[in-house]
């Protein structure tokens, strides 16, 4: 195939932790203590319930509405017909979350699931999954919680399990793992929903996100296309305004589910899984648009034991990019608010806001408009930076994205099957041809017209890689700036 | 890398969910249970668990009842062959992990063991029982059902080869012997002649070694009979032949004509036999209802003739003697013709490691052929890496996504290639061990192979 010296999008340093597979998904680092100690910051006690509830106060109303609608839901056709159910319960079988329907009315079902888990555990074993025709049941027993999904989506067991891991992480990101464990150590029968009001909405959104976007599957994030000079100006504006602020760990600027820039404290990287939670938080919370917010946030892969505190705000009325400043200090709202003002001013002066808006307004190139007529769509992931690029959707997927996502998920699963990974798949069916290719530096998934000639497909892939290489400065965030 | 291997059969049980509905009577549900070392409490608990799983999964109205359940240490396979009857097979798994210490908390374990292969094994276990004893529901009463299940499965479970099960079990196919018109017409005439001269013979099938030439019964029935013949009956007989056991060594007279043919089921030695010996009864189902036959198998040289004799026929020693006279003379001349033809066809197989290996299966007549498997005994004697066969199994699982025609080419981590083509209900899996090949090279190689080896089979041109 083509011989590129360096794969497109590669960079000497990455602000994101790079992972190939889910292998180390359970591994969590403990970075918080380190940062606090190094900077001699005063250590303080964990936040109490109030802070958490305050943050989600505005959602309480919505929640009640839901409960009313749910009452008709009880095991009717509509409920059964849902393509993916997700349930979270405590080890004692107490309902915590159900994607559809009212948990209290489904209490018996939670009881059954708990029984299945404890039955297998009684013989020092653990239930993993059940297959029944088109329906797959996947269990994740992650103390102190049990997570279950019932899916008719044809996703693989490992993909469904990854989604459950994300749901678990979403819950820890609100409570911290330490606190979660402590709660159940003290009272096995605790009703966790008391602490998680409003989190349902985040989990709902996260599940839709994992079903409709490729980023969770790839373990990567997509960047907003910007000229490298613009991106550098933005990064330096942030560094300039924040370099004096003590204990600031990450500054993240994102828009429309795409990363604009990530500035980090030296030595520390952000895991894509944590960044996905941040994306989800921003996407799911309309309230951030109205005012500057201060929110405690636990990033489970960064440090599951404690909170970071985030100053969250949109840049301005006329530029819908969201800026998050994450620190270990719990009372520096005003310092960060000031820094944000400085950043916005600088960006406005250097015309960066316009550049961002322009990129946001541009739907992006489809693969046909870039000159690849036989290629319907593709995903390119650069492994060393955990970033990916995909062209704009074009027919036949422009109307409905689901078939495309399904094709990618199937190919991704086969390429990364833990016990039998593959280097290359080329598959031709009645509807399309797909090529999935895993190399040291990158992963590539390309969907072709079904009648493409094999040798032509190879030629096109070479051309495509060259095209991406040429555009890499625009499509990827190649620097990993630090404060 | 984490892989799982099968360490053995943990449980095998059959229960009827409509029995023993009252509390305290759960034991009545159980029709067969292996191993007997599990006490009744454990048996009841395990059956109860399966019933719980069935109910739980049915809540979500899946497209079919539960098929399988995975735990860290076991794999459960479920099969409901008839209403209310459930067969359950539980496999013990061993994990071989390079890093032992992480093996206990690795939650993300991939399927290394294909459910569909073991589902096929479980289904086969049912079909084999049904061949000899008929359906579960047709049993006289629960006690006699329990008894026949016990007799059958005690022996059958010993013969299941769990570790070497692969994609062939899913096909459960038949190997046909392609012969020329001349030979084929001779065989067909012979079979027709048998069926018309003896009105108690309903159907007959003709095999040469392990290859089927003519089958008088439907493929779905022949599939099971074929597994029995090739897997159990014939190998056992070849062994006794080799030991000289059933062939009379001292002919009564040196001038007596040399007799080659004999009954494999029925009287083993017609001269000395006082009874007709053991003739199994079989049940065939292709017609839609159960039909009972005596299965009489006659073998001469390498040819095997299966006679399906109507179940209500009274078998006598005289009947066997008449048949023997007739079969023996006619068969000898056919067999020598076939042997002649085959000896001309023998091409020394190319056994170099790099030569392509393939498995071919036709869903219409259930024919398969393979140069991957070096024998018919499921001994795990493979001509290509086991990994390639596993990938083939996985590809078979992916077939429903491909539509009526398609192809898949994959390259493994060891730089082997596995190719699958399907079209017109035919499937072909090809393993190539060409380390430095490119995708284009491989697709050309496969095209060439299809042109030579699989001539006349239409694969969508790629």
């Amino acid at each position: 195939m083509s011989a590129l010296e360096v794969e497109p999008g590669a960079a000497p340093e990455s602000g994101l932790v790079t992972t190939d597979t889910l292998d180390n998904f359970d591994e969590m680092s403990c970075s918080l203590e380190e940062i606090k100690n190094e900077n001699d910051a005063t250590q303080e006690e964990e936040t109490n319930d109030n802070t958490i509830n305050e943050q989600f106060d505005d959602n309480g109303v919505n929640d009640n509405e839901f409960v009313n609608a749910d009452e008709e839901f009880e095991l009717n056709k509509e409920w059964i017909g849902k393509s993916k159910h997700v349930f979270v319960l405590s080890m004692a079988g107490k309902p915590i979350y159900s994607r559809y329907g009212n948990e209290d009315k489904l209490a018996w079902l939670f009881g059954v699931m708990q029984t299945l888990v404890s039955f297998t555990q009684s013989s020092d074993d653990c239930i993993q999954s059940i297959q029944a025709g088109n329906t797959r049941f996947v269990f994740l027993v992650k103390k102190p919680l049990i997570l279950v999904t019932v899916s008719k989506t044809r996703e693989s067991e490992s993909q469904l399990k990854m989604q459950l891991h994300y749901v678990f992480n979403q819950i820890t990101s609100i409570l911290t793992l330490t606190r979660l464990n402590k709660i159940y150590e003290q009272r096995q029968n605790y009703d966790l929903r008391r602490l998680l009001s409003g989190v349902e909405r985040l989990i709902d959104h996260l599940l839709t996100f994992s079903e409709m976007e490729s980023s969770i599957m790839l373990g990567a994030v997509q960047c907003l296309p910007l000229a490298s000079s613009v991106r550098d100006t933005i990064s330096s504006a942030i560094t300039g305004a924040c370099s004096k602020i003590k204990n600031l760990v990450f500054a993240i600027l994102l828009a429309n589910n795409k990363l604009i820039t990530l500035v980090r404290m030296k030595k520390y990287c952000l895991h894509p899984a944590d960044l996905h939670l941040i994306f989800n938080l921003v996407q799911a919370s309309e309230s951030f648009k109205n005012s500057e917010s201060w929110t405690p946030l636990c990033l489970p892969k960064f440090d599951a034991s404690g909170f970071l505190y985030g100053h969250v705000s949109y840049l301005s009325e006329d530029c819908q990019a969201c800026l998050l400043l994450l620190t270990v200090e719990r009372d520096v709202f005003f310092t960060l608010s000031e820094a944000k003002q400085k950043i916005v001013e600088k960006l406005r002066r250097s015309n960066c806001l316009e550049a961002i808006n322009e990129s946001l307004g541009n739907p992006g190139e489809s693969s046909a408009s870039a000159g690849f007529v036989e290629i319907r769509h593709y995903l390119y992931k650069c492994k060393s930076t955990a970033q990916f690029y995909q062209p704009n959707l074009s027919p036949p997927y422009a109307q409905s994205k689901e078939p495309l996502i399904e094709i990618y998920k199937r190919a991704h699963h086969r390429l990364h099957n833990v016990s039998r990974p593959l280097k290359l798949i080329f598959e031709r069916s009645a509807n399309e041809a797909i090529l999935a290719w895993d190399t040291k530096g990158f992963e590539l998934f390309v969907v072709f017209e079904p009648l493409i000639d094999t040798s032509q497909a190879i030629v096109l892939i070479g051309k495509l890689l060259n095209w991406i290489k040429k555009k890499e400065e625009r499509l990827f965030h190649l620097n990993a700036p630090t404060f | 890398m984490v892989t799982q291997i099968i360490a053995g059969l943990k449980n095998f049980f059959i229960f009827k969910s409509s029995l023993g509905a009252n509390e305290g009577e759960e034991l009545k549900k159980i029709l067969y249970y292996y191993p007997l070392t599990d006490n009744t409490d454990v048996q009841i608990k395990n059956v109860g668990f399966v019933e719980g799983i069935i109910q739980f999964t049915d809540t979500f109205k899946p497209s079919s009842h539960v098929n399988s359940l995975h735990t860290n240490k076991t794999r459960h396979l479920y099969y409901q062959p008839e209403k209310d009857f459930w067969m359950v097979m539980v496999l013990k798994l061993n994990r071989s992990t390079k890093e032992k210490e992480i093996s206990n908390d690795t939650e993300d374990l991939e399927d290394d063991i294909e459910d569909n292969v073991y589902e096929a094994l479980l289904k086969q276990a049912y079909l084999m029982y049904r061949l000899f004893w008929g359906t579960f529901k047709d049993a006289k009463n629960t006690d006699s059902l329990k008894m026949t299940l016990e007799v059958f499965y005690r022996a059958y479970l010993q013969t299941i080869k769990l570790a070497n099960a692969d994609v062939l079990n899913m096909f459960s196919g038949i190997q046909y012997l392609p012969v020329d018109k001349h030979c084929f017409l001779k065989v067909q005439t012979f079979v027709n002649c048998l069926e018309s001269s003896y009105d108690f013979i309903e159907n007959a099938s003709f095999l040469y070694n392990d290859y089927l030439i003519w089958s008088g019964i439907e493929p779905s029935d022949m599939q099971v009979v074929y597994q029995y013949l090739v897997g159990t009956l014939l190998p056992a007989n070849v062994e006794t032949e080799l030991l000289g056991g059933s062939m009379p060594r001292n002919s009564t007279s040196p001038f007596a004509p040399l007799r080659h043919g004999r009954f494999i089921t029925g009287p083993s030695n017609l001269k000395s036999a006082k009874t007709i010996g053991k003739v199994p009864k079989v049940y065939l189902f292709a017609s839609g209802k159960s039909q009972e036959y005596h299965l009489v198998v006659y073998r001469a040289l390498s040819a095997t003739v299966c006679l399906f004799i109507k179940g209500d026929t009274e078998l006598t020693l005289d009947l066997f003697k008449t048949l023997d006279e007739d079969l023996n003379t006619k068969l000898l001349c056919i067999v020598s013709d076939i042997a002649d033809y085959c000896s001309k066809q023998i091409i020394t197989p190319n056994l170099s490691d790099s030569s392509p290996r393939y498995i071919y299966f036709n869903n219409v007549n259930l024919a398969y052929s393979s140069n991957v498997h070096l024998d018919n005994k499921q001994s795990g004697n493979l001509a290509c890496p086991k990994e390639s066969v596993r990938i083939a199994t996985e590809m078979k699982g992916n077939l429903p996504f491909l539509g009526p025609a398609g192809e898949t080419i994959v390259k493994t981590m060891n730089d082997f290639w596995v190719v699958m083509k399907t079209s017109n209900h035919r499937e072909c899996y090809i393993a190539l061990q060409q380390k430095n090949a490119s995708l284009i090279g491989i697709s050309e190689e496969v095209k060439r192979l299809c042109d030579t080896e699989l001539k006349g089979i239409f694969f969508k041109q790629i």
Side-chain angles (χ1 to χ4, degrees):
Chain A
M1 295 199 178
S2 83
L4 291 168
E5 277 180 14
V6 182
E7 63 277 1
E13 218 184 335
S14 169
L16 287 171
V17 182
T18 55
T19 47
D20 281 346
T21 53
L22 257 184
D23 277 348
N24 305 319
F25 208 88
D26 286 331
E27 246 170 55
M28 311 240 178
S29 67
C30 298
S31 313
L32 279 177
E33 288 300 311
E34 222 173 278
I35 297 171
K36 285 181 186 168
N37 293 338
E38 250 175 51
N39 296 295
D40 295 316
T42 44
Q43 288 186 30
E44 286 181 54
E45 271 298 289
E46 303 263 287
T47 33
N48 49 34
D49 299 7
N50 296 339
T51 351
I52 297 159
N53 288 336
E54 260 165 35
Q55 183 208 340
F56 294 106
D57 262 356
D58 52 329
N59 306 307
V61 187
N62 285 344
D63 233 44
N64 289 334
E65 281 170 14
F66 260 114
V67 174
N68 293 334
D70 281 348
E71 290 187 357
E72 295 130 40
F73 250 16
E74 186 64 358
L75 280 198
N76 57 20
K77 252 196 187 142
E78 194 193 341
W79 187 87
I80 287 164
K82 295 289 182 192
S83 71
K84 191 191 285 166
H85 286 276
V86 175
F87 307 100
V88 181
L89 52 148
S90 70
M91 293 303 255
K94 272 252 180 209
I96 296 171
Y97 169 81
S98 167
R99 190 179 187 185
Y100 304 106
N102 181 327
E103 298 92 48
D104 286 326
K105 298 211 163 171
L106 297 168
W108 61 276
L109 192 63
F110 285 93
V112 174
M113 292 186 279
Q114 194 270 337
T115 315
L116 294 182
V117 170
S118 65
F119 182 88
T120 52
Q121 280 182 335
S122 67
S123 49
D124 194 25
D125 200 352
C126 189
I127 188 169
Q128 298 290 329
S129 67
I130 307 173
Q131 184 78 41
N134 63 348
T135 311
R136 182 170 268 159
F137 301 70
V138 177
F139 291 76
L140 176 65
V141 181
K142 208 169 157 138
K143 274 175 189 154
L145 303 181
I146 297 171
L147 301 98
V148 184
T149 179
V150 179
S151 160
K152 295 187 167 86
T153 57
R154 292 176 172 183
E155 285 163 293
S156 74
E157 185 178 333
S158 52
Q159 282 161 354
L160 292 168
K161 201 159 262 190
M162 166 138 76
Q163 288 163 15
L164 294 181
H165 274 292
Y166 265 89
V167 171
F168 183 88
N169 283 355
Q170 181 66 70
I171 293 169
T172 34
S173 97
I174 301 303
L175 295 174
T176 77
L177 188 61
T178 318
R179 178 125 191 274
L180 187 64
N181 284 326
K182 215 179 268 170
I183 289 168
Y184 283 107
E185 269 163 37
Q186 284 162 1
R187 275 183 61 192
Q188 281 206 336
N189 240 337
Y190 191 80
D191 187 354
L192 198 66
R193 281 178 298 173
R194 277 190 243 166
L195 294 182
L196 292 178
S197 62
V199 181
E200 286 96 338
R201 185 182 42 93
L202 287 179
I203 301 177
D204 290 345
H205 195 274
L206 181 72
L207 290 169
T208 317
F209 181 68
S210 72
E211 282 164 3
M212 296 308 293
E213 299 293 331
S214 311
S215 42
I216 288 189
M217 171 188 86
L218 291 172
V221 293
Q222 195 177 354
C223 290
L224 187 74
L226 281 176
S228 61
S229 58
V230 175
R231 210 186 298 276
D232 288 345
T233 315
I234 298 172
S235 304
S236 58
I238 295 175
T239 354
C242 300
S243 57
K244 297 270 158 51
I245 303 170
K246 219 171 58 174
N247 285 340
L248 190 60
V249 193
F250 296 112
I252 302 157
L253 185 62
L254 54 91
N256 191 21
N257 261 337
K258 296 189 179 81
L259 183 69
I260 296 173
T261 188
L262 164 69
V263 186
R264 65 210 168 88
M265 187 184 260
K266 268 191 201 88
K267 281 206 327 207
Y268 295 98
C269 290
L270 194 55
H271 194 284
D274 285 340
L275 194 50
H276 291 146
L277 290 182
I278 294 173
F279 275 50
N280 186 55
L281 175 72
V282 171
Q283 282 267 311
S285 315
E286 281 293 309
S287 60
F288 290 147
K289 287 194 173 156
N290 307 327
S291 59
E292 287 176 57
S293 316
W294 184 246
T295 176
L297 179 68
C298 168
L299 298 178
K301 299 291 273 183
F302 182 71
D303 189 335
S305 66
F307 282 117
L308 285 172
Y309 300 89
H311 176 273
V312 189
S313 61
Y314 281 77
L315 285 184
S316 71
E317 287 279 311
D318 58 337
C319 183
Q320 291 295 301
C322 183
L323 179 72
L324 292 100
L325 301 170
L326 301 178
T327 171
V328 291
E329 306 282 342
R330 56 185 298 182
D331 47 10
V332 289
F333 175 86
F334 294 104
T335 327
L336 295 181
S337 177
E338 216 172 283
K340 186 239 169 172
Q341 289 313 321
K342 274 192 213 157
I343 294 169
V344 175
E345 273 163 37
K346 264 192 212 165
L347 294 184
R348 198 176 289 281
R349 257 182 281 134
S350 52
N351 293 330
C352 289
L353 295 186
E354 274 166 41
I356 292 172
N357 279 336
E358 196 193 326
S359 182
L360 280 173
N362 180 356
E365 261 175 311
S366 70
S367 80
S369 66
F372 301 100
V373 186
E374 299 89 345
I375 295 178
R376 290 179 175 174
H377 196 260
Y378 60 90
L379 296 176
Y380 171 87
K381 176 192 169 184
C382 174
K383 286 183 176 178
S384 61
T385 51
Q387 294 173 24
F388 78 102
Y389 173 73
Q390 58 180 343
N392 194 25
L393 288 177
S394 55
Y397 309 116
Q399 294 298 319
S400 128
K401 204 178 171 184
E402 283 92 343
L404 183 65
I405 296 280
E406 198 183 309
I407 293 166
Y408 283 139
K409 286 206 165 151
R410 210 164 58 235
H412 187 270
H413 167 66
R414 291 167 71 189
L415 203 62
H416 292 289
N417 189 317
V418 174
S419 52
R420 244 187 334 279
L422 299 170
K423 277 185 179 169
L424 180 76
I425 302 171
F426 181 72
E427 181 163 274
R428 188 195 305 277
S429 70
N431 298 320
E432 71 277 311
I434 174 149
L435 186 134
W437 189 19
D438 187 20
T439 73
K440 250 195 183 132
F442 65 86
E443 260 169 49
L444 183 64
F445 299 87
V446 185
V447 181
F448 293 99
E449 294 294 330
L451 294 176
I452 187 107
D453 184 63
T454 314
S455 50
Q456 199 196 350
I458 303 294
V459 174
L460 279 170
I461 284 185
K463 282 189 184 159
L464 180 67
L465 288 172
N466 280 320
W467 184 88
I468 300 172
K469 180 78 190 161
K470 237 183 268 167
K471 300 242 174 183
E472 66 173 354
E473 298 218 312
R474 213 181 130 68
L475 305 181
F476 299 99
H477 185 16
L478 297 177
N479 299 321
T482 53
F483 294 120
Chain B
M1 191 136 114
V2 186
T3 51
Q4 290 175 303
I5 50 163
I6 291 181
L9 187 64
K10 188 165 186 272
N11 288 129
F12 183 95
F13 51 88
I14 300 167
F15 68 91
K16 188 178 183 185
S17 51
S18 55
L19 292 176
N22 299 331
E23 218 172 299
E25 292 182 350
E26 289 90 349
L27 198 59
K28 287 189 180 164
K29 288 178 196 290
I30 305 174
L31 301 174
Y32 176 73
Y33 193 95
Y34 167 90
L36 285 171
T37 45
D38 282 2
N39 64 38
T40 50
D41 282 351
V42 176
Q43 296 188 11
I44 289 171
K45 232 174 75 182
N46 283 339
V47 170
F49 178 67
V50 174
E51 289 201 292
I53 293 284
I54 295 167
Q55 272 185 14
F56 169 63
T57 50
D58 282 352
T59 309
F60 294 90
K61 300 268 184 300
S63 62
S64 77
H65 286 297
V66 57
N67 308 102
S68 67
L69 179 138
H70 300 193
T71 74
N72 279 344
K73 296 179 180 170
T74 62
R75 179 69 47 96
H76 299 223
L77 287 313
Y78 307 113
Y79 180 55
Q80 187 187 30
E82 297 168 31
K83 192 174 178 291
D84 293 338
F85 287 96
W86 284 88
M87 296 175 76
V88 180
M89 180 160 83
V90 183
L91 308 174
K92 247 185 302 197
L93 305 182
N94 259 359
R95 292 208 213 168
S96 62
T97 322
K98 280 193 185 137
E99 292 142 274
K100 277 267 156 62
E101 60 277 18
I102 63 156
S103 69
N104 283 330
D105 24 65
T106 334
E107 283 154 342
D108 303 291
L109 205 64
E110 209 73 27
D111 314 353
D112 196 30
I113 293 156
E114 280 79 12
D115 285 350
N116 38 20
V117 168
Y118 292 93
E119 268 171 53
L121 270 186
L122 187 57
K123 193 174 172 197
Q124 184 73 27
Y126 168 71
L127 291 176
M128 206 53 97
Y129 173 88
R130 196 182 69 166
L131 177 68
F132 293 108
W133 298 100
T135 55
F136 292 161
K137 69 170 167 28
D138 288 347
K140 251 184 276 157
N141 54 50
T142 312
D143 285 336
S144 73
L145 178 60
K146 276 185 183 172
M147 206 184 68
T148 51
L149 287 172
E150 171 69 30
V151 169
F152 180 82
Y153 283 108
R154 194 171 43 197
Y156 187 81
L157 293 183
Q158 306 296 320
T159 66
I160 297 186
K161 292 181 175 115
L162 292 171
N164 295 326
D166 64 25
V167 70
L168 280 197
N169 295 86
M170 293 174 72
F171 298 140
S172 170
I174 299 168
Q175 283 187 299
Y176 287 84
L177 183 71
V179 289
D180 63 348
K181 275 181 236 159
H182 173 72
C183 287
F184 186 73
L185 279 175
K186 271 194 145 181
V187 170
Q188 204 190 10
T189 317
F190 167 75
V191 170
N192 284 343
C193 187
L194 272 181
E195 286 176 6
S196 54
S197 8
Y198 304 98
D199 60 352
F200 54 86
I201 299 182
E202 183 95 355
N203 299 106
S205 300
F206 191 105
L207 286 88
Y208 186 76
N209 288 325
D210 287 348
Y211 295 89
L212 185 68
I213 297 182
W214 175 263
S215 161
I217 57 173
E218 291 295 319
S220 60
D221 282 330
M222 192 61 217
Q223 195 171 22
V224 190
V225 175
Y226 181 83
Q227 297 301 330
Y228 169 63
L229 290 175
V230 173
T232 314
L233 189 64
L234 296 182
N237 243 272
V238 172
E239 270 167 39
T240 50
E241 266 170 34
L242 290 175
L243 291 169
S246 58
M247 294 286 258
R249 281 202 193 159
N250 304 317
S251 235
T252 37
S253 149
F255 304 107
L258 189 61
R259 298 189 60 93
H260 290 286
R262 61 196 182 79
F263 288 101
I264 291 181
T265 61
S268 55
N269 187 339
L270 279 175
K271 286 221 171 63
S272 57
K274 295 209 168 53
T275 62
I276 57 155
K278 263 169 73 180
V279 177
K281 271 198 175 174
V282 297
Y283 296 83
L284 302 185
F285 294 86
S287 60
K289 59 177 199 291
S290 142
Q291 279 175 314
E292 194 181 332
Y293 297 96
H294 300 287
L295 176 65
V296 173
V297 182
Y298 188 82
R299 189 167 158 92
L301 296 172
S302 296
T304 306
V305 181
C306 303
L307 305 173
F308 296 91
I309 296 176
K310 284 175 189 160
D312 51 10
T313 315
E314 200 190 326
L315 301 175
T316 62
L317 212 50
D318 284 342
L319 186 142
F320 278 100
K321 281 184 177 155
T322 334
L323 277 175
D324 179 54
E325 289 293 323
D326 199 7
L327 290 169
N328 195 41
T329 37
K330 284 183 184 158
L331 263 180
L332 289 184
C333 106
I334 298 177
V335 173
S336 66
D337 275 9
I338 299 173
D340 274 355
Y341 173 81
C342 289
S343 63
K344 281 181 218 145
Q345 301 297 311
I346 290 173
I347 324 154
T348 30
N350 184 357
L351 285 173
S352 79
D353 273 355
S354 61
S355 66
R357 298 285 160 188
Y358 67 87
I359 304 170
Y360 165 80
F361 181 68
N362 180 343
N363 283 289
V364 179
N365 63 359
L366 304 177
Y368 89 92
S369 64
S370 158
N371 69 0
V372 169
H373 299 82
L374 298 172
D375 57 40
N376 269 334
K377 294 186 192 121
Q378 287 229 326
S379 56
N381 197 355
L382 301 177
C384 71
K386 202 167 185 176
E387 190 195 359
S388 304
V389 180
R390 287 207 162 136
I391 290 173
T393 314
E394 197 186 308
M395 285 174 162
K396 175 150 181 67
N398 248 308
L399 274 180
F401 299 113
L402 289 188
E407 71 164 341
T408 308
I409 305 175
V410 307
K411 185 186 190 186
T412 69
M413 283 296 163
N414 307 327
D415 292 332
F416 297 144
W417 295 80
V418 184
V419 181
M420 193 275 307
K421 275 173 169 261
T422 178
S423 180
N424 205 13
H425 304 291
R426 273 89 169 159
E427 298 161 24
C428 186
Y429 303 84
I430 305 162
L432 298 141
Q433 304 184 35
Q434 301 178 351
K435 289 239 168 194
N436 297 316
S438 68
L439 185 59
I440 300 175
I442 290 295
S443 82
E444 272 161 13
E445 170 83 30
V446 168
K447 200 172 157 192
R448 202 183 49 73
L449 191 78
C450 288
D451 286 346
T452 54
E453 301 273 329
L454 301 168
K455 232 180 335 195
I457 296 160
F458 175 75
F459 280 114
K460 193 176 104 185
Q461 208 46 252
I462 304 297

